[in-house]
Amino acid sequence: QGQIFTREHIEALEQVGLAQPEQKLPNLVSSSVLVLLLASFLALYLRLERVSLSRDPRSIALVVMLFLAFGITARLVIPGHTVIPYAFPLAAYSLIVAALFGAETAMVTFLPLAIMAAYGLPNALDLTLYYILGGLLGVLVLRRARRITAYFFAGAAVAVAGSAVVVVYRLSGIDTIGLATLVASALFNGLASASITLLLQFALAQFLGMTTALQLLELSRPDQPLLRQLLRDAPGTYQHSLQVSNLA
């Protein structure tokens, strides 16, 4: 209290993200150009690749809602903080889309989200790589998500990729406690992304009327009531069904 602020103080606070400069016309123009460029990228992908997503209005609406939800939340929560950007589970978006619509759609739509989430921040370069590498590696590990453990392996991949980026960019300019804090944030990021994906994909699959691999596995449990009734009332049909399904 009572300390006089100089331009050097204000510039230092802006550099570390504790103060935001006034929005000026050049900032608005550059932001608008970036949004238009990324929107054009997504539009060309949907048009040229003719993915199944572009033929289903509900699927497009769901991806857009997820994109906006994660993007707006990131822009509201991340700026002005040091640790929260590394703990924010942005990779959950890519894992959810990969589980529902495939790895290609997830990776292509996640790139613009990761770029815009970190745009304009003091550490935008390393934070952008942190999000992109974590999200893409998680999608590649998740693959078709045929087991629940696949989600946690994907979360572990997100955590490992994030920790590696933190070490690469922060090893020589931060104290040991600070580095450990950011690595712990990356581990939390991976765990939170896997957990959010596992919870949301069930609800979103119901909304789309999709049958996921996990739902089919749930139906194949031996203690499922319908299978138990079939085994009790028609054991021959039960055994025949198992043999045919194994052949399939």
Side-chain angles (χ1 to χ4, degrees):
Q1 184 176 357
Q3 182 179 0
I4 299 176
F5 265 37
T6 64
R7 282 300 311 170
E8 288 76 14
H9 292 137
I10 296 175
E11 183 179 357
L13 291 174
E14 291 176 352
Q15 288 297 319
V16 298
L18 296 178
Q20 298 297 325
E22 295 181 0
Q23 287 289 343
K24 299 179 181 179
L25 183 60
N27 293 334
L28 294 176
V29 172
S30 61
S31 301
S32 301
V33 171
L34 177 64
V35 171
L36 289 175
L37 178 63
L38 296 177
S40 301
F41 167 73
L42 290 176
L44 286 174
Y45 167 72
L46 292 175
R47 179 180 179 183
L48 297 179
E49 294 300 324
R50 300 186 182 278
V51 293
S52 58
L53 177 67
S54 61
R55 297 190 292 270
D56 185 0
R58 283 197 304 175
S59 299
I60 294 179
L62 178 59
V63 172
V64 170
M65 287 189 297
L66 287 172
F67 190 97
L68 293 177
F70 278 91
I72 293 174
T73 304
R75 295 303 302 183
L76 291 176
V77 172
I78 290 176
H81 296 87
T82 303
V83 177
I84 291 180
Y86 295 91
F88 186 80
L90 193 70
Y93 167 86
S94 63
L95 298 182
I96 293 172
V97 176
L100 295 177
F101 305 109
E104 180 183 345
T105 302
M107 291 189 287
V108 171
T109 59
F110 181 69
L111 287 175
L113 178 63
I115 293 172
M116 289 193 291
Y119 174 74
L121 299 179
N123 55 337
L125 175 60
D126 54 314
L127 200 57
T128 301
L129 290 177
Y130 176 86
Y131 289 141
I132 290 178
L133 293 179
L136 297 187
L137 187 60
V139 168
L140 293 177
V141 172
L142 183 64
R143 296 174 66 85
R144 300 182 65 85
R146 296 184 181 275
R147 297 288 188 273
I148 293 180
T149 54
Y151 290 90
F152 293 101
F153 282 125
V158 173
V160 170
S163 300
V165 173
V166 167
V167 170
V168 168
Y169 280 90
R170 299 282 180 163
L171 184 60
S172 61
I174 192 172
D175 59 285
T176 305
I177 296 178
L179 181 63
T181 301
L182 294 183
V183 170
S185 299
L187 297 177
F188 173 81
N189 183 1
L191 178 62
S193 297
S195 302
I196 292 173
T197 303
L198 193 57
L199 291 174
L200 286 184
Q201 67 98 16
F202 280 107
L204 297 178
Q206 294 291 334
F207 171 76
L208 294 174
M210 298 174 59
T211 302
T212 64
L214 291 182
Q215 289 173 317
L216 292 176
L217 290 174
E218 182 71 15
L219 291 176
S220 67
R221 290 187 300 109
D223 59 342
Q224 212 273 344
L226 181 58
L227 292 181
R228 293 176 62 183
Q229 181 182 357
L230 185 63
L231 175 61
R232 182 180 62 250
D233 297 341
T237 302
Y238 177 83
Q239 295 298 331
H240 175 71
S241 300
L242 288 181
Q243 294 172 7
V244 172
S245 62
N246 285 331
L247 289 173

